[in-house]
């Protein structure tokens, strides 16, 4: 006589997914544990459907652990259709939904900026994901006024603390839908204002004086009156004269 396996219809084979739904960031791994009310049950699943996501595949086992990637700037979803089997009989299936949030990509405009001391920065922050927020940290050398912060723009008044250009590096981290994107950096060069020096600083009528301005790399100067663009000019005023450099 052949053995016959009989399943109690009053106690159908079921599958419990824990959790029944899950949200992960792009590049993250699903973690769905499968169990049943029937000892010895096994589980298999198919993917129906997979929208805006790659990495989901059909399979079997006691857990669904798959690395999923959002293929665009919006949330993607994966539906796993899980079926239990015990004693050669199929049980009642269940559906597990995994939402995959995209990792935001930050863009800074401009990514490099040069300003004169006392002038505010003007850096606009955008992302491929509409709900992105931005936080930044600061390293500065030869500059004061830069500070860590958050928002969609970096507008900070910076001051060069010496006679040579100072540097500020803003490291910006985007976050959207609880997912953290790769940080980007923005470098701001802060040029000091020209510092005219007269030698000698006062002269008698008809005498000469040499006016010199501190040379800053990449900065041009114009003396008035006269319009000279040199860093040093020799002047012989015949009356009290104010010289300016810009």
């Amino acid at each position: 006589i052949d053995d016959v396996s009989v399943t109690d219809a009053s106690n159908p084979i079921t599958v419990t997914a824990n959790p029944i739904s899950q949200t992960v960031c792009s590049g993250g791994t699903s973690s769905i544990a499968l169990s049943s009310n029937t000892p010895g049950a096994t589980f298999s699943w198919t993917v129906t459907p997979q929208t805006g996501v790659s990495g989901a595949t059909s399979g079997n086992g006691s857990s669904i652990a798959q690395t999923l990637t959002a293929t665009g700037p919006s949330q993607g979803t994966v539906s796993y259709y899980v079926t239990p089997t015990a004693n050669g009989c199929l049980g009642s299936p269940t559906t597990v939904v995994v939402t995959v949030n995209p990792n935001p990509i930050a863009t800074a405009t401009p990514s490099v900026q040069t300003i004169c001391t006392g002038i505010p920065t003007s850096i606009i922050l955008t992302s491929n994901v509409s709900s992105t927020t931005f936080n930044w940290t600061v390293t500065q050398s030869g500059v004061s006024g830069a500070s860590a912060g958050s928002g969609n723009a970096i507008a900070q008044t910076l001051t060069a603390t010496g006679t040579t250009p100072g540097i500020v590096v803003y490291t910006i981290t985007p976050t959207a839908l609880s997912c953290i994107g790769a940080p980007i950096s923005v470098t701001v060069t802060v040029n000091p204002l020209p510092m005219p020096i007269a030698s000698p600083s006062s002269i008698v009528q008809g005498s000469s004086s040499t006016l010199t301005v501190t040379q800053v790399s990449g900065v041009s100067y114009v003396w008035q009156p006269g319009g000279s663009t040199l860093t040093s000019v020799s002047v012989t005023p015949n009356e009290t004269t104010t010289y300016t450099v810009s």
Side-chain angles (χ1 to χ4, degrees):
I1 301 175
D2 294 333
D3 291 333
V4 177
S5 177
V6 178
T7 300
D8 184 357
S10 65
N11 187 30
I13 305 166
T14 61
V15 56
T16 299
N18 185 26
I20 192 66
S21 64
Q22 188 174 58
T23 299
V24 299
C25 294
S26 183
T29 302
S30 61
S31 180
I32 311 294
L34 305 175
S35 61
S36 175
N37 63 331
T38 303
T42 59
F43 310 97
S44 61
W45 61 83
T46 57
V47 177
T48 55
Q50 179 174 205
T51 304
V53 177
S54 64
T57 59
S58 300
N60 58 77
S62 59
S63 66
I64 305 174
Q66 298 186 337
T67 299
L68 305 175
T69 302
T71 57
S74 302
Q75 289 180 319
T77 58
V78 175
S79 294
Y80 294 99
Y81 188 76
V82 184
T83 302
T85 301
N87 302 316
C89 297
L90 298 177
S92 301
T94 192
T95 299
V96 178
V97 178
V98 178
T99 300
V100 184
N101 289 332
N103 294 324
I105 300 172
T107 300
T109 306
S111 60
V112 176
Q113 190 172 54
T114 299
I115 59 176
C116 290
T117 190
I119 301 299
T121 59
S122 179
I123 300 164
I124 305 302
L125 305 176
T126 57
S127 171
N128 62 325
V129 180
S130 60
S131 60
T132 300
T133 59
F134 305 91
N135 294 274
W136 61 81
T137 58
V138 169
T139 58
Q140 54 188 326
S141 175
V143 177
S144 65
S147 60
S150 61
N152 295 322
I154 304 176
Q156 298 185 340
T157 300
L158 307 179
T159 302
T161 57
T163 59
T164 59
I167 299 292
V168 177
V169 177
Y170 293 96
T171 300
I172 303 146
T173 302
T175 302
L177 303 171
S178 298
C179 297
I180 299 174
I184 63 171
S185 294
V186 173
T187 300
V188 178
T189 300
V190 184
N191 287 326
L193 294 178
M195 299 176 62
I197 300 172
S199 179
S201 59
S202 64
I203 57 176
V204 298
Q205 185 178 13
S207 298
S208 297
S209 177
T210 299
L211 308 179
T212 303
V213 66
T214 302
Q215 177 66 56
V216 177
S217 177
V219 177
S220 59
Y221 307 100
V222 178
W223 290 92
Q224 296 296 343
S228 174
T229 58
L230 301 176
T231 56
S232 294
V233 294
S234 180
V235 297
T236 308
N238 291 317
E239 59 184 355
T240 300
T241 304
T242 300
Y243 293 92
T244 61
V245 62
S246 59

